[in-house]
Amino acid sequence: MRIGYKASAEQFGARELLEFSVEAEHRGLDMIAVSDHFQPWRHHGGHAPNALTWLGALGGATRHAVLATSVLTPTLRYHPSIVAQAFGTLGALNPGRVVLGIGSGEAMNETPATGAEFPGPKERRLRLAESITLMRRLWTEERVDFEGTYYRTEKATVYDRPDQPVPIYVAASGPLAAKLAGRVGDGFICTSGKDPELYRTLLANVAEGATAAGRDPGALRRMIEIKVSYDRDIEQARTNCHWWAALALTSEQKTGVEDPLEMERLADANVDRAHTRFIVSDDPGDVIERIGSYLDLGFTDLVLHGPGGDQHRFLEQFTADVLPGLRARAALARAAAAVGSPA
């Protein structure tokens, strides 16, 4: 079980984000996961540092935390061979503590950077699967000639790479992407705050995809970003969610939106719903039990996304008030899983 920190690159600049992440490791968190956005959810006050550059700085500033993207899209504004080179370097610099979390992309990150049309869901999944095949070949072979549907290489070699290929976790919010994660990923990523039945379905599809590919579903990591606004002041906990109102928009509202100004407008029009995607509480026991429901579902990596502008406050309060009990709750979930009974 790993408990990590979500470095909110959409909300904070690169230096400030690095400071928060170093503090997260110092306070006992096991993983730092950063998003890789070309544009943030909000135009005014938003940020979008490049994750590849930033992770290099984070690796030098930390000692043991796992460094991950949650998530990066290796298919549109990046060619997968460039991602393979970048993560080969990161893995060589930080052996055993780099994870490449990938997803099929969002229009607001891909279209403005290139001007290219944003593909439909099927093409994005096919691109993702092909990119995984190519990146793994580049991490394990030399002089790679690759002729795919979407990508080509000619005598390509990644010269600096770790002894073991970097694990790839695949993000999924629907059944077909979850099957892809099980079929070809080393792990699966999703986000909290939705109907519990959805997670049961997604995890079942991950297992189905793994089994169909002759793989052991139990060997895959299952990572979830837990959106949690904990504060000893409950009103502060609620207010902290407002910056992230875009997360509470429906998929229909967000799909195809390419402009941070428009996303900001939609979010501000729905700010009263901002808290609905978060665990909002001033009670440590309540937070532990609500996060515990994800442990009971079988998730192995919990990445905590605190929405407030004062991340020092969040980290200090959460690690003091909640983290010890959460680790104890995780131990109970592991014990229950070991004997095959509910936690």
Side-chain angles (χ1 to χ4, degrees):
M1 171 60 60
R2 297 185 295 208
I3 301 174
Y5 172 69
K6 179 62 184 285
S8 297
E10 305 90 339
Q11 189 176 8
F12 302 104
R15 286 185 179 275
E16 195 175 18
L17 201 63
L18 189 63
E19 180 183 328
F20 297 149
S21 300
V22 170
E23 180 179 350
E25 182 188 65
H26 178 73
R27 291 188 179 276
L29 295 176
D30 311 312
M31 173 184 283
I32 313 295
V34 66
S35 49
D36 182 49
H37 282 200
F38 184 76
Q39 299 191 132
W41 295 107
R42 303 184 69 85
H43 178 73
H44 296 98
H47 295 273
N50 179 272
L52 301 177
T53 304
W54 187 83
L55 281 168
L58 181 64
T62 54
R63 293 294 174 265
H64 55 78
V66 173
L67 317 176
T69 48
S70 184
V71 295
L72 175 147
T73 299
T75 55
L76 296 167
R77 62 190 160 100
Y78 296 126
H79 192 285
S81 62
I82 301 305
V83 177
Q85 181 194 28
F87 275 80
T89 300
L90 281 169
L93 287 169
N94 307 279
R97 64 184 192 108
V98 175
V99 167
L100 173 56
I102 62 174
S104 60
E106 296 169 308
M108 70 180 297
N109 292 312
E110 309 306 324
T111 298
T114 64
E117 182 179 353
F118 191 62
K122 181 178 179 180
E123 180 179 327
R124 298 203 309 275
R125 284 195 305 274
L126 292 172
R127 283 178 175 270
L128 200 63
E130 188 172 301
S131 76
I132 293 170
T133 299
L134 175 54
M135 289 188 293
R136 285 195 172 132
R137 286 191 60 186
L138 287 165
W139 286 334
T140 55
E141 302 176 21
E142 296 184 11
R143 312 281 285 176
V144 175
D145 291 308
F146 187 85
E147 185 74 46
T149 303
Y150 303 102
Y151 309 108
R152 294 182 63 231
T153 63
E154 294 182 2
K155 299 179 178 64
T157 301
V158 171
Y159 287 88
D160 295 279
R161 57 197 187 209
D163 293 335
Q164 295 296 323
V166 172
I168 297 175
Y169 293 8
V170 179
S173 58
L176 294 178
K179 287 182 182 179
L180 174 65
R183 191 167 68 248
V184 300
D186 300 300
F188 158 66
I189 302 175
C190 64
T191 60
S192 69
K194 300 178 181 179
D195 185 342
E197 192 56 38
L198 173 65
Y199 301 111
R200 295 186 185 95
T201 300
L202 291 176
L203 290 167
N205 278 280
V206 170
E208 182 180 337
T211 301
R215 309 175 74 209
D216 175 11
L220 303 183
R221 304 292 298 189
R222 296 172 296 282
M223 174 174 150
I224 185 165
E225 287 188 13
I226 305 286
K227 302 186 184 307
V228 54
S229 188
Y230 171 74
D231 196 280
R232 293 167 190 159
D233 179 341
I234 188 61
E235 289 306 317
Q236 185 65 54
R238 292 192 182 99
T239 302
N240 284 344
C241 300
H242 290 178
W243 201 96
W244 289 91
L247 298 180
L249 298 173
T250 65
S251 58
E252 291 77 14
Q253 288 174 306
K254 289 187 291 188
T255 298
V257 177
E258 303 167 5
D259 189 341
L261 282 168
E262 174 61 12
M263 189 69 77
E264 183 176 320
R265 185 194 68 77
L266 289 169
D268 288 345
N270 292 272
V271 73
D272 59 316
R273 292 168 45 202
H275 68 283
T276 60
R277 283 296 305 279
F278 288 84
I279 295 170
V280 180
S281 183
D282 61 353
D283 180 349
D286 173 55
V287 174
I288 290 164
E289 282 311 304
R290 291 168 73 180
I291 293 178
S293 66
Y294 296 105
L295 294 169
D296 296 342
L297 287 167
F299 286 97
T300 60
D301 296 322
L302 310 179
V303 174
L304 309 169
H305 175 196
D310 189 344
Q311 290 287 287
H312 294 300
R313 177 184 174 104
F314 170 73
L315 285 166
E316 185 278 323
Q317 293 190 10
F318 191 94
T319 57
D321 300 352
V322 181
L323 185 60
L326 184 57
R327 289 204 184 279
R329 180 68 170 77
L332 287 174
R334 285 198 303 271
V339 297
S341 64

